[in-house]
Amino acid sequence: MQHAPSVTYPVGRARLPALLLVGVWLLGAAVLLLWSAQVDSMSWRQGLCAVVLATAGAVAALDWRASPGGALVWDGDVWSCAGVADEVQGVAVSVDLQGCLLLCLRTPQGRRWLWLERRRSPRLWDDLRRAVFSRTGPDLPPAAATPAAKT
């Protein structure tokens, strides 16, 4: 089996997680508004919920804005990710939406999550997908050891 081609894919803020965050925040705001409309007078509970909702929205927005930029690199043997993690021990696909991937990078410091979108570099997207889905590494069985199909 041949290795997947080398690829360098740009990393940065993705639209999908931003849309998901905004959608969840709007859902929370709608629930708060409905709850407030059903009671005669606002109590400290609604006020606390509004503060928590506003704080969560601000933290999520700041976290999204601070998303690292750089490049995810597959050189044919090892992964690296300039700007995100100093050393990458492995990459696993957690969510595959065809035009968007959520990757889990295993690093010495722990796991890092990374959203990648086709729109960043459509020309390199297929090469990236081949690289993240390729079966490489010492823990995988050799191709010759797989049993042949019975006829």
Side-chain angles (χ1 to χ4, degrees), residues 9-99:
Y9 201 81
V11 174
R13 281 184 231 132
R15 288 183 195 165
L16 182 63
L19 292 174
L20 291 173
L21 288 172
V22 168
V24 169
W25 188 87
L26 288 173
L27 182 63
V31 168
L32 176 61
L33 288 174
L34 288 173
W35 179 30
S36 298
Q38 290 181 355
V39 295
D40 292 333
S41 64
M42 294 285 286
S43 72
W44 65 270
R45 290 176 183 89
Q46 285 88 5
L48 178 62
C49 186
V51 168
V52 169
L53 184 67
T55 303
V59 168
L62 290 173
D63 185 56
W64 179 77
R65 283 214 50 174
S67 297
L72 181 64
V73 179
W74 168 249
D75 68 4
D77 290 321
V78 295
W79 287 98
S80 62
C81 195
V84 177
D86 294 333
E87 180 183 342
V88 178
Q89 297 168 335
V91 173
V93 177
S94 297
V95 175
D96 179 8
L97 301 174
Q98 300 302 312

Side-chain angles (χ1 to χ4, degrees), residues 117-135:
E117 294 177 311
R118 178 191 320 247
R119 71 176 177 85
R120 287 234 174 243
S121 183
R123 185 178 59 82
L124 297 172
W125 184 251
D126 291 333
D127 290 341
L128 172 73
R129 288 180 56 83
R130 279 190 278 282
V132 297
F133 284 108
S134 68
R135 295 189 54 160

